[in-house]
Structure formats: C-alpha cells, structure tokens
Amino acid sequence: MNSRIRIATPDDATAFATIKLQLPMTGKEEPSSRGGFLLGTDLVTYSKYIENAFCLVAESDDEVIGFGIILTDKMLRVSDIWERRSHAKWNIHLPDYENKKLCYLEQFAVLTGHRRLAASLLYNLVKWVFDNGYDYLFTTTVKEPILNIAPLPFIDAVAGIKAGNIDEVYPDVGHINSDIYLIESQMFYSQTEAHPLYGFLKQNTISLI
C-alpha cells in the first residue's frame, strides 16, 4: 500500500465532500473515538478552504482517504466562529490571546483503517501552521449530543488545554455543545519531540515551506 501526505488542490474539494458524507453525525449517545463530526460545509466552502486555508490531504494508493483544514488568522477573524466567541464560557482570559497570531483547526477527517497515516497528516498540518509563525491553535470537539473523544489523544499529547465551552445550533443537526481547546506552538514542538511516535512522525514529515 502506497501512502502520502500532500497539499490539497482545487480538484480535492469533491473528495472532501465525499468523505464528509461517509462520516455523518449519528443519533447515538455513546462516545465516539472515530470522529465523524463535519458540520456545515458544502462543496463551495471546501473549495474556498483549499484556496485560502492550510489544507493537507492523505492518500492511500492514490485515493484521498483523509484531509485536514486549519483556518488562517485572517480567515478566523472574519468567521462565524470568531463572531460567536462572546457566547462561549471561557476558562482563559481571551483578551490575552486576541493580539496573538491565531489559527483554528476547522476540520480533520480520515476514513477508518488508516491510524498511522492520520497521525502523520495531523502532525504535518499543525507543524506547517506553527512553522509559519502562528502562536496558538484553537479547536473544538463535540461534547453533546455525542461525545467525540477522537481528537483528545492528540490534544493531550501536545499539552492542549480546555479553554472553554460553547453552545451552538447547526441546520439539520440542532443543538451542539462543544469544548474549546487551545494548543500553544512551543508546547507542540517540545511535546511531539518527546513523544514515542516522534521518530515515525519525523520520518514522515513533508517539506511545506
């Protein structure tokens, strides 16, 4: 099996949308370690992300089996996410961070059966952003109606902190409650270098700058 990580191209938007359809939010109540929480994104939005955000693709035997999207500081500050920040319950003093260079992990999705490739994809994506001088990365994980535990091992591995919590409403889904996490760039570097998988990750790091 041949696999690789690469920068997304406009032609990948359809694959992103197809993967989203394969990872729907279900009505089950038990925690999910598989993810599958891609909310509010259509083909046009994926094309916009590929053109303007940090987007990487994971391929297995020339088939796109995963992708990751991180919004730039500029994109984050004009997004609905940023506009809703006053509705969140924060565990941090947000004004201390608002003048920093920020980014947001918008989506990360990998089909089942590709755990190591998923780890390589996420590492390369976050490293790409921090190598570009970003200070902090925010992300959210769904807590209700389904507890999504899939991102938590990575967040723990890089010493991410629970920065807050937010209630939202999405079309076709309804009420969503999510925890907000914050990852600091220097902690990402130091924690990944000390991680047991670092040798594998370093071996599979791609050149993006």
Side-chain angles (χ1 to χ4, degrees):
M1 180 176 67
N2 296 317
S3 61
R4 66 168 178 158
I5 308 296
R6 61 170 174 80
I7 296 175
T9 68
D11 292 339
D12 293 317
T14 300
F16 287 17
T18 299
I19 290 173
K20 176 190 173 182
L21 293 177
Q22 295 180 66
L23 298 172
M25 176 172 281
T26 68
K28 297 180 180 179
E29 296 181 355
E30 64 267 19
S32 171
S33 61
R34 294 178 53 199
F37 304 92
L38 307 186
L39 303 171
T41 312
D42 56 18
L43 188 61
V44 172
T45 306
Y46 278 132
S47 296
K48 175 185 174 183
Y49 287 158
I50 291 171
E51 182 178 356
N52 297 288
F54 293 91
C55 294
L56 291 185
V57 164
E59 285 186 333
S60 179
D61 293 332
D62 297 322
E63 178 186 357
V64 176
I65 55 85
F67 64 90
I69 302 168
I70 292 181
L71 303 187
T72 65
D73 186 274
K74 181 179 179 180
M75 295 177 73
L76 173 60
R77 293 178 191 271
V78 297
S79 69
D80 292 340
I81 300 164
W82 191 255
E83 289 182 4
R84 294 194 301 269
R85 70 192 186 281
S86 62
H87 299 286
K89 298 176 181 177
W90 292 99
N91 302 328
I92 61 173
H93 187 234
L94 189 60
D96 291 343
Y97 299 87
E98 289 182 331
N99 64 343
K100 303 295 184 180
K101 194 172 183 180
L102 307 176
C103 56
Y104 180 78
L105 180 57
E106 165 65 23
Q107 290 187 10
F108 181 80
V110 178
L111 299 179
T112 57
H114 303 277
R115 181 170 293 183
R116 283 212 157 194
L117 191 55
S120 180
L121 173 62
L122 187 55
Y123 172 76
N124 276 283
L125 180 63
V126 177
K127 184 177 185 296
W128 185 18
V129 172
F130 285 146
D131 284 352
N132 272 273
Y134 280 76
D135 299 307
Y136 294 95
L137 180 147
F138 283 95
T139 192
T140 56
T141 65
V142 176
K143 187 176 181 181
E144 296 175 358
I146 303 167
L147 178 60
N148 179 19
I149 62 175
L152 298 185
F154 170 76
I155 293 170
D156 290 341
V158 296
I161 63 170
K162 188 181 291 186
N165 181 273
I166 189 168
D167 283 305
E168 302 173 280
V169 177
Y170 282 86
D172 303 323
V173 178
H175 170 258
I176 298 289
N177 178 267
S178 302
D179 285 327
I180 305 168
Y181 288 90
L182 179 66
I183 297 169
E184 193 265 333
S185 60
Q186 293 307 311
M187 290 299 293
F188 168 80
Y189 289 120
S190 63
Q191 294 295 111
T192 52
E193 289 177 6
H195 196 275
L197 281 178
Y198 181 65
F200 166 79
L201 296 172
K202 185 176 181 181
Q203 184 179 359
N204 290 275
T205 299
I206 61 175
S207 178
L208 294 166
I209 296 180

